[in-house]
Amino acid sequence: MNRPARTTDDAMRPDGSRRSETPERPEAGEEASEEIRPAGAWASVVAALAPGVFGAAMAIMALSLGLGRLSEPGAGLWPFALGVLLVAVSVALLTTRRRQAACESFGRGGWSVVLGAVSLVAFIMLLPLVGFEIPTVVLIALWLKVIGGEGWRTTVAVSVLATAGFHALFVLALGVSIPHLIAI
Amino acid sequence: MDVLSSILGGFDVVFQPVNLAYCFAGVLIGMLIGVLPGLGPVATISILLPITYGLEPATAIIMLAGIFYGAQYGGTITSVLLRLPGESTTVVTVFDGYQMALRGRAGAALGIAAVGSFVGGTVSILGLSFLAPVVAEFALDFGPPEYAVLTLLGILLVSTLGTGSPLKSLAVAVAGLLLATVGRDTFTGMGRFILGSDNLADGIDFVPLAMGLFGVGEILYDLERRAREKLTMPAIGKVWISRLDWIRSRAAIARGTVLGFVIGILPGGGAALSSMLSYAVEKRVSKTPKEFGRGAIEGVAGPETANNAAATSSFIPLLTLGLPANATMAVIFGALLLQGVTPGPQMITEHPDVFWGVIDSMWIGNIFLLVMSVPLVGLFIRILRVRATILAPITIMITMIGVYTVNNSLFDMYLVIGFGIIGYLMKKFGFEPGPLVLAFVLGGQMETAFRQSLRLFDGSPAGFFTRPISGTLLAAMVVGGILLVALRRRTTVAPDDAPVEEVRR
């Protein structure tokens, strides 16, 4: 794991109390190059409300499926009950949010995540059009060079070799039907 | 059926060359990912799910199980040498293991951990072999109410006892149950929450869900905290233990085995808790508790034994009751379902080859691991030098291409990314994805059990308490839960006394 300090805390303190007392301890493991700071109070409100919104939406949709009776449950009874329960848990989270462990803020590293996710969506859109080889080379190169900050030599070598490896593994060895350019 | 002959029959399965090969591949992969920072065993098993499609059920599960217990061995190496727990199960090994390494005794720490793991693992397999058929036989009488109670309490225990905030875990588990309702209702045939999409008509697939939440979510989360390694590690020395080391450790190994085995069976107990508990016990019974945190070999031997024993015994509830005790078991549960094998009391009679083949493969796997971890430690350490920046894009491509191959579906790929982003956000906001996946795999059967029970009781929930088995189960699980919470409270005290600051200088 890349985050020894957190893992240690989580494991030792199931309630996360240790983490909220001393949220920053990047020194353990000398790995944390970019510090992740705890997020502000807004984050704990979002964390408490998000499950509630999902639960409420599911409960409302479940109503239209028909609840039936307890002796003859309809299609909507179970999801409705779960939705209501989730809203209740959400309220409990909201009232206890100061005692919950702090959420993490989105640092500059957050942009890597956005870029990473967008590049994956682009990969899927290109896949049926041009096969998997070119998008794979481009995506691996992007992750290595832009997100990972690797040198050009590593970028080119790894992206080309890895793609060749995938072709050999998935197309030649396993014979899966992924769209591909190179026929052999 | 005679248990001994069944056990022997299982070895026929294991000794098929293809199964031996996949067993070796599994423990090797497990060892590697245990050593490498980043992906844990759950994420790895999720990512490799597509590969298991083309395999025989026994072969597939033998490999996945190997990854799981192999990672327990691998995680130890980084704990001892680098103060980096590879897995949450090896966190307490850091306390004394790293101190031993600083004092030039890394070889002894790794040696005793390997021996302890082997003893804990193999004794636990023996317990598994004899206890599992008994439990399965008992569970054959379970009807819908018993199953409903069992799954409910299983999910509750996992949520409240897992790592992280209990309330948040509960929220996540309920969300998982809700996601499981998407698709066609088995009773009325009505499409639920499909939002007019053909892709959702048959529900959400387990594979993209697990691969997204565990695999992609983990990779995205790690992207943000890109590491710049400057790993300095102490010299390993000879991986060997002296007579004195063994004499000091053997009682700790014996206690760790029993403790790990018992804790592993309980839902939500698992390997992490058992290792912490073992550390606390060793410190308490020690005549020289002051040595703990300064390189006491018992503090490595006990927990390392316990986590392996627990990892093995956590297969009991899965294989006999169909109840996964932790997130990894939930994914293996999903893998079994994909293979058309339903984990539960019938499994031992309907699929004896899978049941006994998997259990027996653990003997072989543990032998592989013992052989690999003692002389080959130096080799595994070198793997640590592969940078995370290079591993991340390769892993993500294996994930993306892999999920496509399952159904030849672009939609599944979008699902993986969607769940990956959700998994990333969950981690940012302090939610563990484990309970969600666990609840998701149990969701369908749990709803069916509840609805059948309600019909059976003519709408009165009191029936759950009055039926003898379900009532007893309810009581037993409540008592067990209280016991576990109490144990946990006590163990959280232990690391306080340990000189944590010293470890973390």
Side-chain angles (χ1 to χ4, degrees), chain B residues 174-437:
Chain B
V174 178
L177 290 177
L178 273 171
L179 286 176
T181 64
V182 174
R184 192 165 289 106
D185 175 26
T186 44
F187 286 73
T188 61
M190 215 186 267
R192 296 190 292 187
F193 312 113
I194 56 178
L195 310 170
S197 157
D198 286 344
N199 291 313
L200 289 176
D202 290 324
I204 297 171
D205 236 7
F206 171 74
V207 177
L209 180 102
M211 289 177 89
L213 285 176
F214 287 131
V216 177
E218 191 78 45
I219 295 169
L220 290 178
Y221 186 75
D222 284 345
L223 272 189
E224 202 176 350
R225 48 196 69 220
R226 204 14 72 63
R228 286 280 159 269
E229 285 115 292
K230 36 178 181 37
L231 301 174
T232 48
M233 55 188 97
I236 303 172
K238 204 165 136 218
V239 180
W240 205 246
I241 44 173
S242 66
R243 233 180 96 81
L244 183 70
D245 288 337
W246 170 246
I247 290 169
R248 277 186 67 177
S249 313
R250 60 188 179 191
I253 288 177
R255 281 188 292 266
T257 304
V258 176
L259 198 114
F261 183 78
V262 174
I263 301 291
I265 299 175
L266 304 173
L273 178 61
S274 73
S275 61
M276 280 182 268
L277 205 56
S278 165
Y279 190 84
V281 168
E282 289 316 316
K283 205 176 157 185
R284 189 146 303 169
V285 301
S286 171
K287 292 194 192 77
T288 52
K290 284 230 155 56
E291 271 185 44
F292 279 75
R294 297 191 174 80
I297 196 164
E298 301 95 317
V300 176
E304 281 301 319
T305 307
N307 69 21
N308 254 51
T312 306
S313 68
S314 61
F315 276 89
I316 292 181
L318 177 77
L319 296 179
T320 59
L321 304 174
L323 190 69
N326 54 48
T328 312
M329 289 303 123
V331 179
I332 291 184
F333 184 110
L336 280 165
L337 288 183
L338 294 174
Q339 294 280 354
V341 177
T342 309
Q346 284 89 15
M347 190 179 160
I348 190 168
T349 42
E350 283 173 11
H351 301 279
D353 56 322
V354 181
F355 187 90
W356 291 110
V358 169
I359 291 179
D360 288 349
S361 76
M362 296 179 190
W363 292 101
I364 309 297
N366 271 286
I367 293 172
F368 281 146
L369 283 166
L370 186 67
V371 171
M372 280 198 294
S373 58
V374 177
L376 296 184
V377 158
L379 206 66
F380 283 102
I381 289 300
R382 245 168 259 162
I383 291 156
L384 265 172
R385 302 194 195 283
V386 179
R387 288 190 291 277
T389 45
I390 294 177
L391 282 177
I394 294 175
T395 328
I396 199 97
M397 286 325 297
I398 294 177
T399 312
M400 298 306 290
I401 299 174
V403 75
Y404 179 85
T405 62
V406 176
N407 291 327
N408 292 338
S409 153
L410 291 176
F411 179 75
D412 280 357
M413 294 174 92
Y414 283 113
L415 265 186
V416 165
I417 297 179
F419 281 119
I421 294 170
I422 292 173
Y424 161 75
L425 290 174
M426 280 169 63
K427 276 180 164 291
K428 292 296 280 183
F429 285 97
F431 294 93
E432 287 292 326
L436 192 154
V437 175

Side-chain angles (χ1 to χ4, degrees), chain A residues 19-167:
Chain A
R19 216 196 314 165
S20 46
E21 290 158 26
T22 48
E24 284 304 315
R25 235 190 351 267
E27 71 278 13
E30 49 266 327
E31 279 227 340
S33 59
E34 202 162 297
E35 292 184 10
I36 305 287
R37 299 183 184 289
W42 64 270
S44 56
V45 177
V46 172
L49 288 181
V53 171
F54 177 61
M58 293 296 271
I60 291 165
M61 283 193 283
L63 275 179
S64 63
L65 291 169
L67 298 185
R69 294 183 314 277
L70 270 183
S71 53
E72 194 58 53
L77 183 68
W78 172 255
F80 177 77
L82 290 173
V84 172
L85 176 63
L86 195 50
V87 171
V89 175
S90 169
V91 171
L93 271 173
L94 197 63
T95 54
T96 61
R97 66 181 187 276
R98 284 178 220 293
R99 274 178 281 146
Q100 301 284 341
C103 303
E104 295 177 12
S105 70
F106 295 87
R108 272 179 301 134
W111 287 109
S112 308
V113 179
V114 174
L115 184 62
V118 170
S119 68
L120 289 174
V121 173
F123 174 84
I124 305 175
M125 293 188 345
L126 286 174
L127 179 67
L129 303 177
V130 298
F132 86 95
E133 292 94 340
I134 296 171
T136 303
V137 172
V138 174
L139 187 132
I140 295 182
L142 179 88
W143 279 49
L144 286 171
K145 183 71 197 152
V146 180
I147 300 178
E150 293 287 338
W152 277 114
R153 201 182 305 170
T154 313
T155 303
V156 172
V158 173
S159 57
V160 171
L161 284 179
T163 308
F166 290 145
H167 188 90

